[in-house]
Each structure stands twice: as C-alpha cells, then as structure tokens.
Amino acid sequence: MVGSFDLAHLVDDEVRGAVGLDLSTRLAFIEAERDYAFPYAQHLHEQLERLLRAGQGRTRPPCRRIVARSGMGKSFILQQFERRHPRVISKRKGTQWPVLLVEVPPRPTPDALVHAILSKLGAPIPSKKRVALQYHALNLLRDAGICLLIFDELNRIRHLNDDIAGETCELMRWYSSVLGVPGVVSGGPAYVHIFQGDEQLGDRYLPIEIPTFVVDEIFLRVVSTVLAHIPMREPPDEEIFTEEGASLILKAGGVTTAKVVHFLKDQAMRCLEEHREKMMLRDLKVPL
Amino acid sequence: MTVLPIIIAPKSGESLTSWLDRSRHYYGMNDIWSFVRAAPVSYGGKWVGDIDVKCPSELFKCLAAAFSIQKGELEALRTSLKYRLDPGLRKAVCLQCWAADMLEGRAFYRRDLWSFPLALVCEHHMMPLVDCPSLPRSEAEFMTLYQPCLDRQAASELALRNHRDTCEILRVTMVPRGGEVCPEHLRYLEEFASILHWELRDATRPIGTALRLRLYDFKRRGEFHWRDFFGDPYWEGGKAPLYRHGTVRLGRVPGVGYRRQLIFATLDALKAIKHQDHHYLGLIGRRAEKEFVRLLRLAPPSVVQDLMLVAETF
C-alpha cells in the first residue's frame, strides 16, 4: 500500500516501491531494461537447458536454429542464458566455460567467424593461415570446456553470397560436430534458406520458431506482464485486456516484443507526465 | 580487463621467459612480444631487452590481470632471477628433468636455476646440463630431439658414473671444510660469475658459454675443483704459484681484495679469455668492484662472514 492505493496489480515489491518515487526517477525506472519472463522466453530457456545437459562427447550432438523476427528478444534471452552459466577459471581444474555465445560479425565470412570466436574467448588473434586458425580456435574451445556453442544474429549472413554463407554455416556445424557439443544458431528469417537448402544443415539444426504476436490469450498475458512492471498507482483499464484493446496495441505498437514493450512504456510515461495514474484504453495514442 | 580463456600457470622454479614462451606458443603467437602487445595482455609500455632480469612492473600488472594471477606471485619470479646469463645463452637444460616432465604429463619448461652462469649440473638429478636451444612442444618432439642424448647417457654406464662422481665432487668441494652445502655460497659465486659475464660481455666468445663449457671440460677430466677458484697469486715465500689451471690461494694481500683475486684466479683457471690479459688487470674491477660492494652491502652479515671464512679456509 502506498497512501490509499492498493498496489496488488504490480508484480513485485521493487515495482511497488518505485510508485512512491518522484516523477523523474519513476520515468527512469520505466525506461530501464528488465526481464519480463514471458512464457515463450521461459520455454526457450528450458530448451537451451536441455541442450546444455546433453553435454560434450556426442557423436551427433543435438542442434537447434532459433528463428524469429527482429525485436522478439532472442538476443536478450540468449545473453541471459549465458549469464546464468558463467565461466569459471581455475588454475588447478582449468577453465570451465559451459556456454559460449558468439555474435557473428557484420559480414560473417568463415575467417571473420573464427576471429569473432577468438575475440569472444578473449584470446589473442595470431597471424595464421585460415585452416591453422580454425584448428587453433578449435583447440581453445576444447580446452575451455565449452558445452554449448551459440551463434547469434545469423541473419547477417544475407550480406554474403550463398556459397560463402554455406561455408560459414558449415564451419559452425563442424565446430559443433568435432567438439561433440550441441550448437544453436539464432537470427531473423533471412538465414533460414541456407539451412533449408542444405540437407545436412537442415537435418542437424532443428527449428525453434518464435512467432510474432496476434490477438490471442498469449498476447494479452504479455501486455498484462509488461503493465505489471510499470509503477502506476492505479491498475490499468480493463478495456485494455479485451480483443479491442489488444488489436489497438498491435496496430499502434507493432507485432514484436520490443515494439509492444516500447509502446506501452511510452504510453505509461506520457500518462505520468500528464499526472494520470491510470492507463486508459481511450488514452492510448497511435504514434504518427 | 579480459582474462585469457585458458590460464597457463607458471610451474615451480620456471623462468619468466619460459612461462611466457609456453603461453605465447599455446595462443599461436609468433613471439613473446607480439603476445604481450596483443589483447588481452595489451602491454603498451616500452620494449625491454631481458624481462627475466628487469621486467617492468606495468607488464607484471598487465600479465597478472590477463592471467588472473596475483601480481606478487609473478613478481616472485623476478626477484629470484637476479644473476643470470644473457637471454641468448640460457640454453642449458637437464634432460632428466624434461624426461620427468614427460612421464608426469607436465608441459616442458625451463627452470630458472639452469640459467645461472655457474650452473653445471641439475640439482635434482646430478646430471650435467646440456645445451638445448629449443623447448620441445610435445612428447614426440622431445623423443625425436633428445631421446638419443638420454640413450647415450644411459648406454654408457661408466660415463654416467663418472658424471655422477664429478657432480658429487662438485657438491662436496662446494662445502667449506666440515660444513654443509650453503646456498648462499652458491649464490655468492653466481654473483661473481654474473659480474664476470657482464665485464667481459665484449669478449669474442660469450663468457657464459666459455665458463660453462670449459668448467665442464675440466671437471670431466677430473682436473678442476671448486677450490681452484680460491688461491693466492702472491704466494708467500716467493714460491711459484701452484697453477694447475690456476690453482691459487686467496690471502691477505695489501691492495688486492679477495674479489679481485678470485677474478684473477678464475680467469687464469679457465684460460678462456687469455686475449684479455692486458684488460682484466685494469678494466675488470672498477665497475665490478662497485657492483660487488653494492651487492655486499645488500647481503646479510652472515654472507659476508661466510665469505671471509671461505677465503681463509681455503
């Protein structure tokens, strides 16, 4: 309780505590990045955990390709997963680095990919020829005890011609196969045709698709979750959680997580600036 | 700062260059300097000729951060490495130590004790040190390069026994009469050899190599003992000095300190640098004397007392 307001509509004490803060702090609180633990994110975490448990030394390690439009929170989820499994460096036991998340470079040729791996590992990059460098990175990955190899932003592969793009994807599969560890690739739909056009890659990397939002129960839960993280004294208008409200949000905000969250935050901040503590459906404005 | 993904920890008694060489090899870099210049070590300081002897503290800081090792642990490497040969002469190794490394699954590495100017034998195996310029990177390489040497040593039992006997003599004669092996004496001699090496750095043959090879040569023939270092070129009674490769005795000679006598005796004994006869009376000494006095001031009183004791005993 803050004053005479019942704050049961807010998700936790941290958000409830923020209600009593001054306006600028509340606005900053709203703008901050946070984990909403959406159901699809939890599902993806479970899938990744299962892959991680598969461990090293597999003859045919299970691999997945995550496909979703930009703004669905893939990178956020993967980074969060990586943070949950940090590396441990010990002089006696050696390095244990369970999850390696590599963001592929803007032009992900095989050479650039190897450089990205070495850079992510924090190793110096020697001047070696291509094959020697690939094996060098392989040895480092093996010694680091990698159990799950993730490549993010693979949609950047669209800047390459199909042959080079195929080589890059093949290199990812090679690392996964030789190390015997599961591999995950992630990105927008732009890279899917490479995997669909290659039988080996397509069979090995099974798809996990995250669809964009439509007006349904899942989307309403997403809206409800986001609003529960916004410190307003009064609960949002019930009209927002109707089919009409959902349609308006999708139309005004967008169909991806980032856009929906951004739209709702924007509206909330506008309400607070106008000294309103309750978000109403009729007040939601479609941006120009 | 980023930490290296795999930590190559320094081994017990390993020299700094050996450790960095192993690390740079693991990370595929061409040389130590390109390794320390590159991320994540990212040392931006000035170039140093011999990092074993005068490694900048900034480099220690960078290495400690990149290897996630305590800075003090690294600096301990430096403090134990004051008197050493030039980097180019640090090639002496004990093959038995490397064989033990191989059997116990350790990486091959150079011990700092092998790089002292008067280090002739391995303290653990009592085997003569041999020159091996390259550090083997794998067991296969070691077997290919150095197994023949080990086989030769093992095949010649007599030679092996002679080696061991010589080494035993070396150890025994290091001991002042009735005393025990004193590491401080060894260190003291190392200091002298280091000074000699520095003074004669312009000689045509590297003095470090000359010292080691000639000493070993004499020792193998049974013609050299540590006590040969100690003698008096101004033998009382006007007798001819007992030169058997420079067997002289230190004495209380006015104007000629023990240190200079020792240097003279050493140079005579070795006959390795005769062409510098006209130099060492005049040039050796002044700078070395200052260095020696500085070292002596730094040394604990017990070392100074031991020095006098040794000089008088022999």
Side-chain angles (χ1 to χ4, degrees), chain A residues 87 89-91 95 97 118-128 136 139-140 142-145, chain B residues 2-7 9-10 25-30 34-35 38-40 67-70 73:
Chain A
R87 74 166 168 172
I89 294 179
S90 161
K91 272 186 283 180
T95 301
W97 197 326
L118 291 175
S119 176
K120 176 69 188 197
L121 284 171
I125 298 171
S127 53
K128 286 177 180 282
H136 176 64
N139 289 335
L140 284 178
R142 184 179 285 132
D143 289 350
Chain B
T2 315
V3 177
L4 284 161
I6 310 295
I7 303 300
H25 183 265
Y26 179 80
Y27 284 106
M29 303 302 278
N30 288 333
S34 55
F35 174 65
F67 282 84
S68 187
I69 292 176
Q70 296 291 323
E73 199 179 331

Side-chain angles (χ1 to χ4, degrees), chain A residues 10-226:
Chain A
L10 299 178
V11 67
D12 57 24
D13 288 342
E14 188 194 359
V15 183
R16 287 185 204 110
V19 171
L21 301 173
D22 61 80
L23 180 63
S24 60
T25 318
R26 280 167 80 187
L27 295 179
F29 184 90
I30 292 169
E31 271 194 296
E33 192 179 63
R34 55 191 74 249
D35 175 21
Y36 295 104
F38 295 133
Y40 76 85
Q42 285 175 342
H43 175 67
L44 197 53
H45 270 291
E46 284 163 16
Q47 296 253 358
L48 292 170
E49 285 287 356
R50 209 173 300 149
L51 288 174
L52 185 59
R53 280 199 297 273
Q56 293 170 309
R58 302 286 292 254
T59 312
R60 191 182 163 83
C63 297
R64 299 286 182 272
R65 57 183 148 103
I66 302 167
V67 186
R69 263 185 65 172
S70 173
M72 289 304 289
K74 302 178 294 298
S75 300
F76 183 82
I77 295 166
L78 293 175
Q79 284 168 12
Q80 199 180 38
F81 185 73
E82 189 193 30
R83 280 197 295 273
R84 284 183 190 175
H85 301 90
R87 74 166 168 172
V88 179
I89 294 179
S90 161
K91 272 186 283 180
R92 288 186 179 172
K93 295 179 183 173
T95 301
Q96 284 303 314
W97 197 326
V99 178
L100 186 77
L101 169 62
V102 180
E103 183 177 328
V104 301
R107 192 180 152 75
T109 60
D111 289 353
L113 185 74
V114 174
H115 279 233
I117 291 172
L118 291 175
S119 176
K120 176 69 188 197
L121 284 171
I125 298 171
S127 53
K128 286 177 180 282
K129 290 188 176 172
R130 175 183 289 181
V131 177
L133 203 59
Q134 288 173 1
Y135 274 93
H136 176 64
L138 178 72
N139 289 335
L140 284 178
L141 289 170
R142 184 179 285 132
D143 289 350
I146 302 292
C147 295
L148 180 62
L149 197 52
I150 305 174
F151 294 99
D152 192 18
E153 303 291 356
L154 202 59
N155 44 288
R156 288 172 184 166
I157 217 161
R158 69 176 179 274
H159 301 301
L160 304 174
N161 68 39
D162 281 359
D163 284 350
I164 300 176
E167 269 184 53
T168 303
C169 294
E170 198 56 48
L171 186 63
M172 293 174 188
R173 192 176 76 91
W174 180 74
Y175 277 127
S176 165
S177 297
V178 176
L179 291 168
V181 300
V184 174
V185 294
S186 168
Y191 79 92
V192 173
H193 71 282
I194 302 286
F195 283 76
Q196 286 172 341
D198 186 307
E199 194 182 345
Q200 292 256 357
L201 287 171
D203 287 353
R204 177 64 64 88
Y205 287 84
L206 301 179
I208 299 175
E209 289 185 15
I210 304 172
T212 50
F213 295 122
V214 290
V215 179
D216 59 5
E217 188 63 30
I218 295 171
F219 178 62
L220 290 178
R221 279 173 63 192
V222 166
V223 173
S224 164
T225 307
V226 176

